Amino acid sequence: MTLSRRQTLAGLAGALLLPALTRAASAQTAVFRIGALNPVTGAGAPYGSGMQKMILAATEMVNAAGGAAGRMLEVSAEDSQTQPQAAVLAAKKLIEVNKVQAILGTWASGVSLAVAPLTNDAGILLMNTSGAPALSVPPANAKGLLFRFQATNDRFGRAFAELATKEGFKRPATMAFNNASGIGNTEGFRKAWEAKGGKVVENIVYEPNQPSYRAELQKVLAAKPDVIVMGSYLADTTIILREWFQTGDATKFIIPAWAANPDLVKALGPEVTEGIFSVDSISNEGSAAYKAFDAAYQKTMGQPGANNVYAAMTWDMVVVLALAMEAAGPGADVAAISAKLREVSGPGGTQVATFAEGKAALKSGKIDYQGASSILDFDQYGDVTPDFAVSVISKGKIERKSVIKL
């Protein structure tokens, strides 16, 4: 069929008009794209699903309030598998295909350290729940676009040292999984313990994915410690404790809560796990922001929010990001939004507990989003300082005994 001149001109006019119409439609439906990169499988699996679902729930809350600075939030979700290699592939997809402007909720330090170069190169935000000290400084935090919602390993180490002092231990030893998080935890403890005038009697770094850690354990026990401080994950902790129990040794253990959790008790039983100290950062449980998160978590997961401190962190990530977008104004780029993150969550403004409250309060001045996961006073490195819960496993139950404030 031959087109008439009039039809051809009409077609050309339509083609020229299409970009303008597309731009207009885009302006009316402007979005800010978020990548939810969480440990749905792997060592972080007990927490990852809840983390991801709270990103989605908080996003729905923001969008229901009209979005942030005229933009709706759009989430693309991926599983990091708690593995750096898998996380890098997922992050590349989020950045290159989904065109996200922020990645939220990386969990293991190895994952966050592997993803950080990609987010830096893309000029987008990375909000994580990892502990490695290397995440505070260049090259990982080279552009000021990395924000940590979990305690650093150094802070965990200080909490371990405070607990060891309180319990009267004199001869601690350490065992660390050979990655940034495991070594960071035990090194943080060593520095804090030596600052108190103490000495670590043995320090072992072990390799992952071994069927047995008997040789490493025997070397530690030969130093006759009265407590072993762990920088470990669930799978390796399970093997080490099983082999320790078989020796009949009475040494105590201080273990991060992501390893000393209900799954550990389930795997080993009450007798093996009796008396273990479990330490974790805890949410800002007295805040109105925590109440909002807890209600959303119970509705979505059918469990109390206290069961997943990392989900409280990812909830906060969305809220703080959206408030920073609102403060930065319509069309603000990632750098401008990043520059507002401390402003909307730092001290001195009107205290708010939800995005809707903060959005309204920003019209008349400065705000201070209190945070569900902690008081979100980001320091110069983008780090926060939460409180820590000390729990003891007794008769198969993990019971909170005290709170440590640094």
Side-chain angles (χ1 to χ4, degrees), residues 190-210:
R190 181 190 61 78
K191 288 190 291 185
W193 188 252
E194 290 179 352
K196 291 174 173 288
K199 179 182 178 182
V200 174
V201 299
E202 185 60 88
N203 174 34
I204 295 292
V205 176
Y206 58 86
E207 297 304 318
N209 302 320
Q210 295 181 206

Side-chain angles (χ1 to χ4, degrees), residues 53-65 73 75 299 318:
K53 288 180 179 177
M54 285 303 97
I55 291 174
L56 294 169
T59 296
E60 289 177 6
M61 178 184 68
V62 171
N63 289 343
L73 304 185
V75 178
K299 179 181 178 181
V318 175

Side-chain angles (χ1 to χ4, degrees), residues 45-302:
Y47 313 105
S49 178
M51 294 168 70
Q52 200 159 87
K53 288 180 179 177
M54 285 303 97
I55 291 174
L56 294 169
T59 296
E60 289 177 6
M61 178 184 68
V62 171
N63 289 343
R71 284 187 277 186
M72 306 301 278
L73 304 185
E74 180 181 281
V75 178
S76 298
E78 295 287 340
D79 179 10
S80 73
Q81 302 177 38
T82 327
Q83 294 289 342
Q85 299 89 339
V88 165
L89 292 175
K92 285 182 177 179
K93 176 182 179 295
L94 289 170
I95 294 168
E96 296 171 7
V97 178
N98 301 114
K99 306 297 183 183
V100 301
Q101 294 148 285
I103 289 180
L104 274 54
T106 50
W107 187 75
S109 291
V111 166
S112 296
L113 286 166
V115 170
L118 303 180
T119 55
N120 281 333
D121 286 347
I124 68 174
L125 288 160
L126 176 61
M127 297 181 173
N128 71 88
T129 68
S130 307
L135 290 165
S136 299
V137 294
N141 199 5
K143 296 185 177 181
L145 296 174
L146 191 150
F147 289 82
R148 187 200 312 258
F149 287 66
Q150 168 66 300
T152 62
N153 289 138
D154 280 345
R155 289 171 171 87
F156 263 98
R158 287 165 57 195
F160 292 161
E162 291 299 320
L163 171 58
T165 300
K166 182 179 178 181
E167 293 297 322
F169 295 123
K170 303 296 183 184
R171 295 180 54 81
T174 64
M175 294 186 72
F177 189 101
N178 190 13
N179 71 1
S181 178
I183 295 171
N185 272 353
T186 55
E187 278 298 291
F189 169 78
R190 181 190 61 78
K191 288 190 291 185
W193 188 252
E194 290 179 352
K196 291 174 173 288
K199 179 182 178 182
V200 174
V201 299
E202 185 60 88
N203 174 34
I204 295 292
V205 176
Y206 58 86
E207 297 304 318
N209 302 320
Q210 295 181 206
S212 171
Y213 296 96
R214 195 176 301 275
E216 293 90 341
L217 181 62
Q218 287 176 343
K219 186 174 181 181
V220 169
L221 294 178
K224 300 188 182 304
D226 53 7
V227 65
I228 299 174
V229 177
M230 301 291 290
S232 57
Y233 294 105
L234 177 63
D236 45 293
T237 302
T238 303
I239 296 170
I240 290 168
L241 288 177
R242 183 181 290 118
E243 293 179 336
W244 160 78
F245 187 74
Q246 291 168 355
T247 70
D249 186 89
T251 304
K252 296 290 187 179
F253 283 83
I254 297 174
I255 305 175
W258 57 78
N261 59 21
D263 288 339
L264 182 73
V265 178
K266 183 178 179 180
L268 295 174
E271 189 176 5
V272 178
T273 54
E274 182 70 19
I276 287 173
F277 291 97
S278 175
V279 180
D280 202 2
S281 60
I282 53 174
S283 298
N284 188 16
E285 295 170 349
S287 70
Y290 179 82
K291 292 179 181 176
F293 153 73
D294 183 54
Y297 196 81
Q298 294 206 42
K299 179 181 178 181
T300 304
M301 303 296 292

Side-chain angles (χ1 to χ4, degrees), residues 384-405:
V384 296
T385 304
D387 295 333
F388 293 85
V390 175
S391 300
V392 178
I393 303 178
S394 176
K395 298 179 181 179
K397 304 291 184 183
I398 301 177
E399 301 175 350
R400 185 184 297 183
K401 295 298 183 182
S402 61
V403 174
I404 294 173
K405 295 179 179 290

